[in-house]
Amino acid sequence: MGCFSGVPCFPGLVDLYDSCAQWVCVLLSFGLSDTSDSDLELSSIRHQPEGLEQLQELTKFTKKELQSLYRGFKNECPSGLVDEDTFKLIYAQFFPQGDASMYAHFLFNAFDVDRNGAICFENFVVGLSILLRGTVHEKLNWAFNLYDINKDGYITKEEMLAIMKSIYNMMGRYTYPIVRDDAPIEHVEKFFQKMDRNRDGVVTIEEFLETCQKDENIMSSMQLFENVI
Amino acid sequence: MAAGVAAWLPFARAAAIGWMPVANCPMPLAPTEKNKRQDELIILNVSGRRFQTWRTTLERYPDTLLGSTEKEFFFNEDTKEYFFDRDPEVFRCILNFYRTGKLHYPRYECISAYDEELAFYGILPEIIGDCCYEEYKDRKRENAERLMDDNDSENNQEGSMPSLNLRQTMWRAFENPHTSTLALVFYYVTGFFIAVSVITNVVETVPCGTVPGNKELPCGERYAVAFFCLDTACVMIFTVEYLMRLFAAPSRYRFMRSVMSIIDVVAIMPYYIGLVMTNNEDVSGAFVTLRVFRVFRIFKFSRHSQGLRILGYTLKSCASELGFLLFSLTMAIIIFATVMFYAEKGSSASKFTSIPASFWYTIVTMTTLGYGDMVPKTIAGKIFGSICSLSGVLVIALPVPVIVSNFSRIYHQNQRADKRRAQKKARLARIRVAKTGSSSAYLHSKRNGLLNAALELTGSSDDEQHISKSTSLIESQHHHLLHCLEKTTGLSYLVDDPLLSVRTSTIKNHEFIDEQLFEQNCMDNSMQNYPSTRSPSLSSNNGGSTSCCSRRNKTTTHLPNSKVPATRLQSMQELSTIHIQCSEQPSLTTSRSSLNMKSDDGLRPNCKTSHLTTAIISIPTPPALTPEGESRPPPSSPHPTMNISTTCSNVVKVSAL
């Protein structure tokens, strides 16, 4: 701030004005600042889903099922969008003894198909439709998509190891038998032995589908959650 | 589980499909929903005011009245609604709890009425949300104190006390003089003697009368004997009091460390030291100095005055603010003293001989005392002197109101913070109990579920009805989800089950271990250095873990064939499940021949690993299993079971318990 006309201008006074102004600004910022910008953003963004008819076309749910799904969804996320932290929080409540955050992260990426950092109701309900009402082929595709973390069409050992560790983390510490550190690694080895036909170190979607369709355990377990809703 | 989370359970279960392709073992069956109802609106008529909500909203909390079948008692057939003859205002809050998951406490409600309603609807007050919890607790505490005061006054009038021993009675008498007449007498007597002692100390130094020789004598020396007797009497009383308190204190060590007892000791020490040292003339000077400590007797009044105690406490808690005040004052003093020294250096016969000498001037000026013994003479000195006194007013006047308001704020805050901390611990403990309750509920239902599975496999479905399915549908679905996770990883959850012990021969069908034992097992595991052999285990644990499931299939297929009664089947099923958990060993492979060939010695070291020690807990020797008291399993039982018995009889000795 320089001297302006009409005001007796002593150098000390200018500094005084400057410091006063700065001080007032600091006070104002303390008084009026919000906790964080991201909170502001999320609370002002609201997402309304598409109409019931469009969702009925997109998914295989009936109208009543969609209604009850939306009620539950909206209750937990009034803004209509689930961000990753809320998602992790919700999912962790089902696994009180372990740490479900890693697996929830992978799940979040699997559901958030348009990769915008939040799951809207359409993503949610489309994902659920595949999992609950889809064909076995679609479900296996979805599972492959879940394991393929970078979505490049191949499951590598590192990706599978990350997934496996996150699943074991959900069990927590107090298990029987005690979780050994190499248990996920062994599990991954077994998986690759089973799935990787041509021993090239990655599992492609064709190998995955082929192996799963031959394994009756997996096929029967895919039908397990038919009547969830 | 929390409110909305129940709504997300279908999602969590659907997401479990992600575990299927990597699972080790086959998945358990999902609980079937018998009579699956469409979500319907139900009407709750509370004293004439109708509330409507979805049935699933109420079912979110199945352990409350509205969420369980208990509400069926209130169902009115004629009007097809649930009628509650209770307060509709409070019901609004309660219903909102089901809707939003947060229980609020309305300020206008009476605390006891609210508590009664919560108790009626089966809701724990701990669930009250953070926004209203403090208010609730404050009101509750006020209420409780008021009731307690009423009770106390009643009790005092009645005069009936539970019989305490001598120590406890004395301690109570000391701490609270109003409990009995004797305590009151003691209180006043000690107070009187403290006053006498303090007055004596003061009067001792007053000059009274002259002695021939024109010397003014202080009264202490004139009436030395009288004062000495008074002093002795006071010190006797104080000593007796201190010893009695020491005797009565519940924790003597803590009492001796407390401030009041230190003051007591310091108050009476000079007398005894004086007794010891009267002969030495050299140290009499030091002895005179010791008398100063007699003034500490005045602090003994703080036992008699609540206000003094509060002042002491707030001073202690405001120490940082006081420290800041002192620090800023010191800074200002040093600055101004330096300035004054150099300003007055020029003038002749100046009193400002050094900077420390100027400190005195600065302090006197800044606190606006102005004694006038040191006065600046130069013009520069006078200018800086006036600046010093002006800034002194500011420096002292500014922090003091801050400190005063800090006193009251910190004092009240400390009171409230301590209470909140105590409540929080209890609250968290209760929430933790509820949480472990939910996970142990899972394990209980797992146990029931396994028995169910055993009976289902043997086809005796009528027994199934005997086992009460007390879990709600949501709970059983949640448990099924956790069970799927266990099957995916091949591990299973542990829980603390105090019913279980090796000494009782009642069979429990799962490995139960509490956290202490778990850690002990971990230590045992590491200490034994039996590296559950990496190399063979890598190849054979693969076999081992598949053998767990295939073994299970194998043994269960035996069961229908063996001609044994249902109870035996249960125990054998349990045996086989235990065997499953035992079986992660290189030695126990699927082939029978290798089992036969394995020597006991080969088995025992394997059994020493930690997971077997836990299994031991649950396996008594087979004779205890059967109610019929057969001494050993019948020869018709398959080999694996036979081997289990031998294995286990060896292993029982190794029990970590």
Side-chain angles (χ1 to χ4, degrees), chain A:
Chain A
M1 248 169 72
C3 298
F4 39 89
S5 59
V7 176
C9 195
F10 303 118
L13 220 51
V14 170
D15 289 331
L16 195 60
Y17 286 159
D18 274 338
S19 53
C20 270
Q22 280 172 14
W23 204 52
V24 164
C25 287
V26 163
L27 276 185
L28 281 179
S29 71
F30 266 114
L32 301 181
S33 72
D34 296 47
T35 46
S36 76
D37 284 347
S38 61
D39 282 351
L40 263 178
E41 279 173 23
L42 204 55
S43 59
S44 55
I45 291 178
R46 214 172 75 86
H47 180 89
Q48 278 179 319
E50 307 178 21
L52 265 178
E53 288 77 21
Q54 286 105 313
L55 283 179
Q56 267 185 294
E57 283 169 32
L58 275 178
T59 68
K60 299 198 181 113
F61 290 121
T62 67
K63 198 164 174 182
K64 270 198 185 282
E65 289 168 344
L66 282 172
Q67 280 177 336
S68 105
L69 274 175
Y70 187 68
R71 282 204 300 271
F73 184 84
K74 181 97 176 157
N75 209 14
E76 202 61 25
C77 317
S79 62
L81 288 172
V82 193
D83 61 338
E84 187 162 343
D85 291 330
T86 318
F87 188 82
K88 282 184 178 168
L89 215 71
I90 294 172
Y91 200 70
Q93 299 204 31
F94 293 106
F95 303 98
Q97 284 186 328
D99 174 27
S101 54
M102 269 323 289
Y103 188 69
H105 169 77
F106 295 131
L107 258 189
F108 186 84
N109 287 337
F111 268 86
D112 185 18
V113 286
D114 37 359
R115 302 300 226 150
N116 57 353
I119 299 182
C120 60
F121 185 63
E122 289 90 347
N123 294 346
F124 179 71
V125 102
V126 160
L128 270 188
S129 164
I130 296 176
L131 287 172
L132 299 176
R133 302 266 191 268
T135 65
V136 177
H137 192 93
E138 288 174 352
K139 291 181 193 177
L140 288 172
N141 250 327
W142 188 90
F144 186 85
N145 190 35
L146 173 71
Y147 301 145
D148 184 13
I149 297 177
N150 55 358
K151 316 284 180 239
D152 62 351
Y154 300 106
I155 304 180
T156 64
K157 283 201 178 166
E158 290 79 23
E159 289 174 340
M160 203 58 220
L161 187 61
I163 300 260
M164 204 60 77
K165 280 193 181 151
S166 65
I167 293 181
Y168 274 83
N169 277 347
M170 279 197 286
M171 283 295 294
R173 279 189 61 220
Y174 301 110
T175 58
Y176 172 83
I178 304 173
V179 178
R180 298 189 317 265
D181 288 334
D182 56 349
I185 301 178
E186 281 179 38
H187 207 145
V188 169
E189 289 298 324
K190 252 182 4 132
F191 179 80
F192 267 80
Q193 269 177 11
K194 210 163 64 161
M195 300 277 170
D196 192 8
R197 289 302 155 106
N198 55 357
R199 302 271 172 253
D200 58 354
V202 292
V203 176
T204 63
I205 179 72
E206 294 85 16
E207 289 173 339
F208 184 73
L209 286 173
E210 199 189 320
T211 319
C212 288
Q213 273 159 349
K214 294 217 182 85
D215 187 335
E216 32 174 276
N217 271 343
I218 297 182
M219 293 303 282
S220 64
S221 60
M222 283 289 165
Q223 318 289 346
L224 201 57
F225 294 111
E226 298 279 86
N227 58 346
V228 161
I229 293 201

Side-chain angles (χ1 to χ4, degrees), chain B residues 543-586:
Chain B
S545 37
T546 53
S547 80
C548 95
C549 312
S550 49
R551 174 57 59 94
R552 182 197 185 130
N553 292 336
K554 255 197 184 174
T555 48
T556 52
T557 51
H558 281 135
L559 290 172
N561 297 333
S562 54
K563 303 176 185 71
V564 284
T567 50
R568 211 37 165 82
L569 278 174
Q570 278 183 29
S571 43
M572 277 177 41
Q573 173 69 6
E574 289 154 7
L575 260 186
S576 60
T577 54
I578 294 157
H579 181 67
I580 288 166
Q581 275 104 28
C582 289
S583 73
E584 275 208 29
Q585 302 310 313

